[in-house]
Amino acid sequence: GQNIDQPTEMTATEGAIVQINCTYQTSGFNGLFWYQQHAGEAPTFLSYNVLDGLEEKGRFSSFLSRSKGYSYLLLKELQMKDSASYLCAVRDGDYKLSFGAGTTVTVRA
Amino acid sequence: ETGVTQTPRHLVMGMTNKKSLKCEQHLGHNAMYWYKQSAKKPLELMFVYSLEERVENNSVPSRFSPECPNSSHLFLHLHTLQPEDSALYLCASSQEDRGPGEQYFGPGTRLTVT
């Protein structure tokens, strides 16, 4: 089966940096995705990593180490609107996306 | 309409009812998905359709029956559901041709089974 672990909750201050870790053990690997989901809304795509290294996109960056089965999402210059759940998901086949349970990030003033 | 739309947004049904959830994508994608999201649990993939053919069926009970009449529409037919089937049902679509595509999600249908 698939095993994707990420912390349940994190709290940080506005303007700070938060790093959300994700470890995975899957039967196959065809890329790792990060999604953001605000309460009561649909998940929205943030980033995709398939090769080792760091992908930067504005205030958000995502890192992947395939040999360690590890990724992180880095959120910089936190804003109140970044309060949401962040979902780590591994593509382990042609179509299948396996999700972690999500990390709820609360940004405080 | 843009993106992925789902109707209804909320549904309350008894265990003996039959209802259908509808999803429509306006993105020209060639793959569509049904997911179940329960509180505090990971998103669970239920069904995948690629070019209107079912390519994944994750051991979902037969009381859930998908239908994909064309590449833009996806239905989930519900029959004789149980209270534990109450959840948010999300539809998604993606373009799969030059490697894995990011999935675009609809707003979901909040289902309550009484």
Side-chain angles (χ1 to χ4, degrees):
Chain A
Q2 320 307 340
N3 192 16
I4 300 171
D5 290 318
Q6 49 181 130
T8 305
E9 294 180 336
M10 301 183 76
T11 301
T13 306
E14 200 173 12
I17 298 173
V18 69
Q19 178 174 314
I20 305 170
N21 296 324
C22 172
T23 59
Y24 63 89
Q25 292 176 305
T26 58
S27 55
F29 184 82
N30 200 13
L32 187 143
F33 292 81
W34 284 96
Y35 283 83
Q36 180 191 60
Q37 186 176 24
H38 285 99
E41 297 183 12
T44 55
F45 169 78
L46 288 178
S47 69
Y48 170 66
N49 295 69
V50 66
L51 299 176
D52 290 352
L54 188 68
E55 293 282 342
E56 297 188 81
K57 191 185 288 187
R59 294 188 298 113
F60 294 1
S61 304
S62 56
F63 171 84
L64 175 67
S65 169
R66 289 171 297 170
S67 62
K68 296 181 179 177
Y70 168 70
S71 173
Y72 68 72
L73 179 69
L74 195 69
L75 286 62
K76 293 179 276 190
E77 301 169 19
L78 277 174
Q79 302 175 10
M80 300 299 287
K81 67 179 182 180
D82 297 329
S83 292
S85 182
Y86 292 85
L87 312 177
C88 174
V90 174
R91 180 80 167 241
D92 55 13
D94 285 341
Y95 299 95
K96 188 174 179 182
L97 203 57
S98 297
F99 282 82
T103 299
T104 300
V105 171
T106 302
V107 181
R108 293 188 173 159
Chain B
E1 290 280 10
T2 58
V4 181
T5 58
Q6 290 185 242
T7 55
R9 295 294 307 277
H10 299 273
L11 178 63
V12 179
M13 60 185 288
M15 289 190 285
T16 58
N17 292 158
K18 286 184 183 180
K19 296 286 184 183
S20 295
L21 309 184
K22 179 183 175 183
C23 174
E24 184 173 0
Q25 59 100 358
H26 310 266
L27 300 167
H29 288 166
N30 57 11
M32 296 187 76
Y33 310 76
W34 279 117
Y35 287 90
K36 175 183 179 183
Q37 189 173 36
S38 304
K40 306 299 182 185
K41 287 187 177 179
L43 272 163
E44 299 172 49
L45 180 65
M46 300 175 72
F47 301 103
V48 182
Y49 277 81
S50 173
L51 297 173
E52 301 144 51
E53 286 193 26
R54 192 189 308 182
V55 294
E56 285 274 353
N57 179 351
N58 269 14
S59 303
V60 178
S62 59
R63 57 186 184 268
F64 295 92
S65 174
E67 179 190 359
C68 187
N70 56 59
S71 60
S72 299
H73 293 86
L74 187 65
F75 294 89
L76 187 62
H77 304 299
L78 314 173
H79 174 53
T80 322
L81 294 192
Q82 304 298 310
E84 61 264 28
D85 297 322
S86 298
L88 181 68
Y89 289 84
L90 290 162
C91 174
S93 70
S94 66
Q95 183 62 24
E96 305 290 327
D97 48 21
R98 292 184 293 274
E102 63 197 68
Q103 293 182 18
Y104 290 78
F105 287 83
T109 295
R110 174 68 63 185
L111 173 67
T112 303
V113 181
T114 60

